[in-house]
């Protein structure tokens, strides 16, 4: 299956399995994702003690909150939309620790080939 055929739920549930523990170092953070559009939903990812978990819903006081259309998020994951371009065009909004958000891509294995 190509990445674009996955749902936001499938991708978020797969994030702990794609987590690269050796890249995390001492990062301890919670990232809130607010998806809009076709697959509107809220998810959060916790990274702590070299482990990663993802849960549907919202969490109080995340380190960073990212708001993005679900289709744009899928485009970012598949390499069809550069994260910085999405941010500059207002397609990806971040509130909180933006430097943490910039580290996220290196913390997860890429599976854009499906």
């Amino acid at each position: 299956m190509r990445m674009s055929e996955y749902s936001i739920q499938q991708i978020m549930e797969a994030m702990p399995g794609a987590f690269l523990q050796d890249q995390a170092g001492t990062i301890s953070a919670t990232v809130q994702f607010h998806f809009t559009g076709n697959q509107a939903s809220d998810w959060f990812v916790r990274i702590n003690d070299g482990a990663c978990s993802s849960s549907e819903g919202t969490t109080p006081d995340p380190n960073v909150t990212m708001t993005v259309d679900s289709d744009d998020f899928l485009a970012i994951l598949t390499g069809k939309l550069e994260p910085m371009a999405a941010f500059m065009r207002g397609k990806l909004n971040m509130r909180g620790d933006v430097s943490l958000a910039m580290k996220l891509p290196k913390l997860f294995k890429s599976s854009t080939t499906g």
Side-chain angles (χ1 to χ4, degrees):
M1 224 190 302
R2 291 190 322 264
M3 182 69 77
S4 60
E5 295 170 349
Y6 284 98
S7 69
I8 291 295
Q9 179 176 350
Q10 289 170 313
I11 289 166
M12 296 308 290
E13 288 176 348
M15 284 186 84
F19 182 65
L20 299 170
Q21 181 180 2
D22 59 326
Q23 296 292 317
T26 59
I27 293 174
S28 179
T30 302
V31 181
Q32 178 73 59
F33 291 89
H34 176 67
F35 297 106
T36 60
N38 292 329
Q39 299 183 55
S41 58
D42 290 294
W43 287 83
F44 62 93
V45 173
R46 276 192 217 291
I47 299 168
N48 194 23
D49 291 330
C52 174
S53 65
S54 65
S55 302
E56 190 166 10
T58 58
T59 184
D61 303 319
N63 299 87
V64 64
T65 299
M66 290 193 267
T67 302
V68 61
D69 182 278
S70 56
D71 292 339
D72 289 335
F73 186 70
L74 291 172
I76 289 168
L77 292 181
T78 57
K80 293 177 183 163
L81 177 61
E82 287 291 322
M84 188 53 74
F87 179 74
M88 297 302 275
R89 288 193 217 138
K91 291 177 174 255
L92 171 63
N93 294 299
M94 291 183 263
R95 190 173 67 245
D97 188 349
V98 175
S99 65
L100 169 65
M102 297 299 172
K103 293 175 188 172
L104 289 177
K106 75 172 188 140
L107 299 180
F108 295 92
K109 284 184 271 190
S110 173
S111 58
T112 56
T113 56

